[in-house]
Amino acid sequence: MSAPPPGPPYDQSQYQYPPANQYGEQSQYGQQPVGYGQPPNPASPPPSQAPPAHGGPPSHQGPRGKRQYAEQAYDFAAGANAGVAATGGYPAAGGPAGYMPDTAGVNAIYGQQPQQLPGQPQAVGGYQAPQASYDPNQLAGQFGQMGLGGGAPAPVGKTVLNPLVPVDLMHNPFNPASIDLPPPPIILPPNTSVTPSPHANCPPSYMRSTLNVVPTTHNLLKKSKLPFALVVQPYNSLHDSEAPVPLISDFVISRCRRCRSYINPYVSFLDHGHRWRCNMCGLTNDVPQAFDWNPATQETSDRWQRPELNHAVVEFIAPQEYMVRPPQPLVYLFLLDVSYAAVTSGLLATAARTILESLDRIPNADKRTRLGFIAVDSALHYFSIPRDSTEPSMLVVSDLDEPFLPIPGDLLVPLEERREGIESLLSKLQEMFQDTQNAGSCMGSALQSAHKLISAVGGKVVVLTASLPNLGAGKLEMREDKKLLGTNKENGLLQTGNSFYKSFAVECSKNQVSVDMFLFSSGYQDVASLANLPRYTGGQTYFYPGWSAARSEDAYKFAKEFSDHLSSEIALEAVMRVRATTGLRMSTFYGNFFNRSSDLCAFPAFPRDQGYVVEVAIDEAIARPVVYMQTAVLHTTCNGERRIRVMTMALPTTQNLADVYASADQVAITTYFSHKAVEKALSSGLEAARDSLHSKIVELLVTYKKELTASHVGAATPLQFPANLHGLVVLFLGLMKHIGLRKSVQIPSDLRSAALALLSTLPAQMLMQYIHPKFYSLHDMDDACGLPHPETGEIVMPPPLPLSSEYIQPHGLYLIDDSQTQFIYVGGHAVPQLIEDVFGLPGVEHLKVGKGSLPILENDFNTRVRAVVDKSKDMQSKGVGSIIVPNLYIVRSDGEPSLRLWAHTMLVEDKADQGVSLQQFLGALREKVNNS
Ligand SMILES: [Zn+2]
């Protein structure tokens, strides 16, 4: 049986996600939501929706198409983008809820541009140490000092930290654009770094702290109720060329003899520049001679040009002593499901073809990359790819009790040398198994064999399966019962069903074997158990519910993601350690790795698309104005080079609680609590996870009120919080309503488990969008949107809207995007011209809902809409390496109810499913805070 032919992309009957019927349910989101905000009466928009006072109605300046969509249906100014049309800037007052940008205060202080559209690159200054921290007069002096070989830093004066700017959460709606703003600036005393480089402090895309001002004592931290943690993302891209980091290749690595920190921009030089003082522990160390003399060219060199004194993020090429064995080659061992389910869904054919077409993309610069293949059903099928022939042979092992390895030499072969044989095998795989009726899967036993095959070398085991492992080692049961969903017993389904998956994962980690899971089952697959393998081995779980190669969007999504995954320049045999100023201690680590010792995280393979969280404890009172933290990732590149990536961050300290709050980073804090919530969900259950989030936000609001605001009495008491934490309430609400955590009787546990895996691995920027999706109004977007910015060339995006259905007009067109799924939401009253321009169809009634794509049409508006949709999923432009190609669904407000309700669950400010609206949430919080 061969893979079914690709079907029509717009077939309504084919959309599968949410798997409405897959688990025998009528509708996953069958409950009718209540309380969606009433859209304003389009015939008489309230005065607050009037276009900006200057220059007349913007619709008259709009392009032909836009004017038509607007005028044929409703007054243009009623659209969600109404307030921004004329200026092309920021949403001014005018949304249905009297929506006001809240960042004005923050921006006035931090000097950031509130008008910055997400499509424009961040101003460089936003990610750097603010210029203000360098006194220009002192700068000149410092240059002079450096000419003399460096001297003591200039005397440190009183540094003015970020001021506390309170906002009233009840009366200042949160502006979602502020999530993308850089965190509160890190303001260091003048001349804290030894060079005046603007790159001396770590950009938040690599490492950001929940607190950009650090309390000097444990007691002050405890009093703040805020977490102190680092969000670490050592790689910003899948490939080095997309986010280059300065490389130090002369093998000169100067480290502190005592604390083993790497030399960095915050050390100080003394003794005529012959010694350097460690900024972590204070010990003085010798400066390597090579800092001033290049033995290769026999010339003096300028130490002030060295990258490690100018850049917070650098990479060293490591000499011999950083290796326990010669750098291992890159190894990919593929475990391919060849059961009936995998063959008939088209998984085997698509996977084999994608590997075949990606052979040139798999990193192999050193020509040592090795590949191997094991086909899995109720037996293990090994493939020997011999040197002297291009015809591979298959060896079947059905005894799962003692699975042996036949002819080890030819099962794992060099890609360069055996290319022909590999190509021959991949092009025949589908044919070999096309008539199978085998419904068995001994994937656990296959994993054991794979481990045996590569444990001497280490490497990646890539599992592609559409089955629940039902035979041999690690056998799993069909344990999901939909009656359990939404009850306390649901928690058990999120935990591992067979201890094999944890113990085997630890075994893999010891032998430098990392496992990635690509899961495709059309029924229950026990993602909760299978996800343990990636969790402890530095891998990832990718879940494709209801996937079928017959749907071209599904085939494209998987093939593109899998190919990008294979091309990714992963690191091997990696360990990560975080060092800090004496008195600070790394206490807890979150993410996909194995904690080998108290402070060492081990990664058999280090992925480029994940983030980590490290909690910091303050063990001793800190007497210094600045503390430092340094993350080092020792690894082997996929081209066989041993390297160390080092990231150094400097943060000012304070004894003042207001300073701590004023510089707290809502994105980093939410990332930390996302990891904590996943941990809590797995250990104590979903309700406990939601409750702890709820208690925490109450505790923070109470602390802020009691410690940092003047007392108010009476019903008009505002609910105050610092402007820089304005988004925290909405982000916490988004987290509590997330598919991974929300209260519901209808979410299959596999979807939950896959979501929990993402909540605990996504890099912060992507995680925020996963928790708080982007929502854009397209039908009335400004003329500049969807086109390249004249200066930057970046596609200009419309401003993101608050996640409330109040912004949805019956004639509108919207994009909702949570980074994994995109919805094109079409109002049932959309005018024919809009549907014609965007979809090439005569009217909204012809539009088929479900998984689909946007057609490419020869008109401006179609081009601009596609540009916005593409830009929205372009993670690289946001400084995140990701393979994810979001599924795109066409949704009609009058169409298929389960799909529409699913799209509405992304609008976290609404009341829906069993969750409260933002207004209800805020009201309840205010009551709790005022009664505490
Ligand atoms: Zn030291």
Side-chain angles (χ1 to χ4, degrees):
M1 202 172 301
S2 61
Y10 294 108
D11 187 343
Q12 180 174 359
S13 65
Q14 287 189 338
Y15 93 79
Q16 294 265 334
Y17 187 99
N21 303 311
Q22 185 180 323
Y23 295 85
E25 288 174 79
Q26 191 54 38
S27 158
Q28 187 191 354
Y29 298 93
Q31 252 182 314
Q32 192 66 32
V34 284
Y36 283 157
Q38 290 299 309
N41 181 355
S44 57
S48 67
Q49 291 179 10
H54 54 90
S59 58
H60 296 167
Q61 300 157 3
R64 183 191 59 85
K66 183 174 78 179
R67 201 171 146 187
Q68 282 183 345
Y69 318 140
E71 290 180 352
Q72 283 178 31
Y74 297 109
D75 179 15
F76 170 76
N81 283 335
V84 292
T87 52
Y90 205 66
Y99 166 48
M100 292 281 289
D102 72 298
T103 45
V106 186
N107 287 299
I109 303 154
Y110 298 158
Q112 290 157 358
Q113 279 296 319
Q115 280 80 10
Q116 185 172 48
L117 291 172
Q120 298 167 345
Q122 297 286 6
V124 174
Y127 275 154
Q128 308 303 336
Q131 288 300 313
S133 68
Y134 280 98
D135 180 344
N137 297 323
Q138 288 177 332
L139 261 189
Q142 197 188 31
F143 275 119
Q145 287 169 8
M146 284 189 290
L148 299 170
V156 173
K158 177 80 182 141
T159 305
V160 179
L161 300 171
N162 297 313
L164 194 62
V165 180
V167 289
D168 177 359
L169 300 180
M170 302 303 288
H171 298 105
N172 293 279
F174 165 65
N175 178 356
S178 63
I179 294 179
D180 298 325
L181 290 173
I186 299 170
I187 299 174
L188 299 173
N191 305 322
T192 302
S193 65
V194 72
T195 58
S197 166
H199 309 291
N201 214 350
C202 196
S205 58
Y206 286 97
M207 188 155 68
R208 62 200 291 170
S209 171
T210 55
L211 307 177
N212 276 349
V213 171
V214 175
T216 48
T217 63
H218 169 74
N219 282 345
L220 184 58
L221 175 63
K222 205 171 151 194
K223 186 175 168 187
S224 79
K225 308 292 183 191
L226 288 163
F228 181 21
L230 297 177
V231 175
V232 184
Q233 187 195 336
Y235 294 93
N236 284 183
S237 66
L238 299 177
H239 307 103
D240 278 340
S241 57
E242 289 150 353
V245 162
L247 184 66
I248 298 145
S249 52
D250 61 2
F251 296 109
V252 179
I253 303 179
S254 192
R255 299 175 66 179
C256 175
R257 283 176 292 121
R258 180 161 62 197
C259 73
R260 305 305 291 150
S261 292
Y262 295 80
I263 196 167
N264 63 74
Y266 298 98
V267 302
S268 48
F269 289 104
L270 28 103
D271 196 8
H272 302 288
H274 293 305
R275 319 244 296 154
W276 62 272
R277 188 189 300 279
C278 174
N279 52 317
M280 305 282 175
C281 74
L283 190 77
T284 52
N285 298 278
D286 291 337
V287 172
Q289 285 185 349
F291 266 45
D292 303 307
W293 177 254
N294 183 338
T297 60
Q298 293 288 303
E299 285 170 348
T300 54
S301 48
D302 180 3
R303 75 165 66 170
W304 304 110
Q305 299 301 318
R306 288 194 71 89
E308 64 267 53
L309 298 181
N310 288 278
H311 290 265
V313 184
V314 292
E315 201 157 285
F316 295 94
I317 296 182
Q320 203 73 41
E321 64 255 34
Y322 287 83
M323 302 171 197
V324 271
R325 58 176 179 174
Q328 66 181 104
L330 180 59
V331 169
Y332 274 109
L333 180 56
F334 298 94
L335 300 192
L336 299 161
D337 185 347
V338 294
S339 70
Y340 179 79
V343 172
T344 51
S345 69
L347 171 61
L348 178 62
T350 312
R353 193 178 63 240
T354 305
I355 299 169
L356 181 64
E357 289 170 359
S358 304
L359 290 177
D360 286 329
R361 298 189 75 201
I362 296 174
N364 192 21
D366 63 358
K367 311 286 184 211
R368 296 195 306 153
T369 298
R370 291 203 249 166
L371 305 186
F373 304 86
I374 302 177
V376 186
D377 48 24
S378 60
L380 303 174
H381 310 254
Y382 297 94
F383 297 96
S384 167
I385 305 171
R387 188 186 301 271
D388 50 4
S389 144
T390 58
E391 281 307 300
S393 53
M394 182 167 81
L395 307 113
V396 183
V397 175
S398 325
D399 179 5
L400 302 179
D401 295 331
E402 283 291 321
F404 62 94
L405 289 178
I407 336 170
D410 288 331
L411 300 179
L412 196 63
V413 298
L415 169 59
E416 178 78 2
E417 182 194 280
R418 313 280 174 97
R419 171 102 181 208
E420 261 182 280
I422 291 169
E423 288 180 353
S424 167
L425 170 64
L426 288 168
S427 43
K428 285 190 184 119
L429 268 175
Q430 168 68 15
E431 203 183 309
M432 291 164 73
F433 294 97
Q434 62 182 344
D435 297 323
T436 186
Q437 296 295 321
N438 195 322
S441 170
C442 62
M443 194 51 85
S445 306
L447 281 158
Q448 286 179 324
S449 297
H451 175 256
K452 214 177 278 181
L453 183 55
I454 67 170
S455 59
V457 195
K460 268 274 184 202
V461 173
V462 183
V463 177
L464 300 115
T465 177
S467 311
L468 178 75
N470 55 11
L471 290 166
K475 178 175 183 274
L476 293 167
E477 307 287 337
M478 167 58 214
R479 57 188 174 129
E480 185 175 72
D481 176 349
K482 68 178 178 181
K483 289 198 292 292
L484 302 182
L485 302 181
T487 71
N488 281 341
K489 291 193 173 140
E490 180 176 16
N491 300 323
L493 298 176
L494 304 177
Q495 291 162 352
T496 309
N498 186 328
S499 60
F500 167 82
Y501 291 94
K502 270 188 187 170
S503 51
F504 178 69
V506 173
E507 199 59 28
C508 283
S509 176
K510 275 186 201 153
N511 291 308
Q512 304 295 348
V513 174
S514 170
V515 183
D516 290 319
M517 301 298 278
F518 289 81
L519 304 176
F520 299 82
S521 179
S522 58
Y524 179 68
Q525 200 170 8
D526 202 345
V527 174
S529 297
L530 299 178
N532 280 292
L533 297 171
R535 184 172 305 136
Y536 296 108
T537 64
Q540 183 59 294
T541 301
Y542 300 100
F543 186 43
Y544 301 81
W547 184 91
S548 167
R551 197 167 25 245
S552 56
E553 289 83 14
D554 281 6
Y556 172 78
K557 174 183 165 69
F558 163 59
K560 172 89 167 58
E561 292 184 353
F562 189 36
S563 182
D564 283 352
H565 181 75
L566 294 176
S567 81
S568 175
E569 289 166 337
I570 55 167
L572 304 166
E573 240 168 279
V575 287
M576 180 169 83
R577 201 190 290 268
V578 184
R579 297 180 174 86
T581 296
T582 308
L584 300 181
R585 174 176 53 87
M586 303 307 127
S587 62
T588 321
F589 300 80
Y590 300 93
N592 279 7
F593 48 75
F594 184 64
N595 229 162
R596 198 185 288 169
S597 64
S598 65
D599 64 342
L600 191 72
C601 307
F603 306 75
F606 201 103
R608 285 177 164 251
D609 54 358
Q610 293 184 31
Y612 308 92
V613 169
V614 183
E615 189 162 8
V616 190
I618 303 173
D619 285 346
E620 300 165 26
I622 297 157
R624 308 165 63 179
V626 180
V627 290
Y628 306 93
M629 266 153 297
Q630 186 178 70
T631 302
V633 182
L634 174 63
H635 63 278
T636 300
T637 69
C638 49
N639 298 325
E641 210 167 47
R642 200 71 176 147
R643 289 191 182 184
I644 309 139
R645 178 163 289 211
V646 176
M647 296 163 280
T648 308
M649 180 179 236
L651 297 169
T653 62
T654 186
Q655 299 175 345
N656 181 350
L657 190 64
D659 291 337
V660 178
Y661 266 83
S663 290
D665 175 355
Q666 59 187 4
V667 169
I669 291 170
T670 307
T671 306
Y672 168 84
F673 281 111
S674 177
H675 282 259
K676 289 290 280 186
V678 172
E679 183 191 55
K680 192 86 177 171
L682 295 178
S683 64
S684 317
L686 294 165
E687 192 170 0
R690 289 190 300 268
D691 286 350
S692 64
L693 287 168
H694 193 266
S695 324
K696 177 48 82 171
I697 194 75
V698 170
E699 188 179 61
L700 291 174
L701 290 162
V702 168
T703 303
Y704 184 79
K705 183 193 171 198
K706 289 203 165 150
E707 305 290 343
L708 295 168
T709 58
S711 60
H712 293 270
V713 192
T717 308
L719 186 64
Q720 287 199 342
F721 218 36
N724 48 300
L725 297 178
H726 193 170
L728 210 56
V729 169
V730 183
L731 289 168
F732 267 54
L733 182 63
L735 200 45
M736 290 157 67
K737 289 176 149 194
H738 193 272
I739 189 168
L741 295 169
R742 74 169 164 259
K743 187 169 176 59
S744 169
V745 296
Q746 319 200 38
I747 301 172
S749 56
D750 277 353
L751 284 186
R752 289 257 202 227
S753 297
L756 294 177
L758 290 177
L759 285 174
S760 53
T761 52
L762 287 180
Q765 299 94 313
M766 202 167 168
L767 179 67
M768 288 309 109
Q769 192 171 336
Y770 192 44
I771 293 169
H772 188 279
K774 288 279 188 275
F775 177 27
Y776 301 107
S777 180
L778 303 179
H779 64 286
D780 60 348
M781 63 183 175
D782 182 69
D783 297 353
C785 297
L787 296 171
H789 188 274
E791 282 157 29
T792 64
E794 299 273 341
I795 295 293
V796 177
M797 296 293 279
L801 298 169
L803 294 171
S804 163
S805 53
E806 285 181 51
Y807 291 87
I808 293 182
Q809 301 279 334
H811 66 282
L813 178 75
Y814 305 88
L815 169 65
I816 309 173
D817 183 349
D818 80 343
S819 83
Q820 309 294 312
T821 308
Q822 293 185 316
F823 295 98
I824 297 285
Y825 192 102
V826 189
H829 294 178
V831 295
Q833 188 64 52
L834 176 64
I835 303 302
E836 172 75 42
D837 285 355
V838 178
F839 302 100
L841 294 167
V844 72
E845 65 278 11
H846 298 271
L847 191 60
K848 292 206 171 136
V849 299
K851 202 181 270 180
S853 55
L854 287 172
I856 300 171
L857 302 176
E858 292 294 317
N859 72 70
D860 289 349
F861 195 66
N862 174 278
T863 310
R864 288 169 54 210
V865 166
R866 282 187 294 106
V868 167
V869 171
D870 286 346
K871 180 71 182 177
S872 182
K873 64 185 174 192
D874 174 11
M875 285 297 145
Q876 186 56 64
S877 71
K878 298 169 192 169
V880 178
S882 172
I883 66 165
I884 298 301
V885 177
N887 278 312
L888 186 140
Y889 289 86
I890 313 281
V891 187
R892 257 166 59 186
S893 65
D894 57 350
E896 159 68 35
S898 65
L899 184 58
R900 182 169 51 88
L901 290 177
W902 180 30
H904 275 274
T905 61
M906 303 265 167
L907 301 178
V908 300
E909 295 192 11
D910 285 352
K911 183 179 189 325
D913 212 348
Q914 299 182 33
V916 296
S917 73
L918 177 63
Q919 279 313 309
Q920 291 171 318
F921 189 53
L922 281 169
L925 289 177
R926 181 169 68 172
E927 205 175 307
K928 283 220 156 161
V929 170
N930 285 341
N931 293 335
S932 65

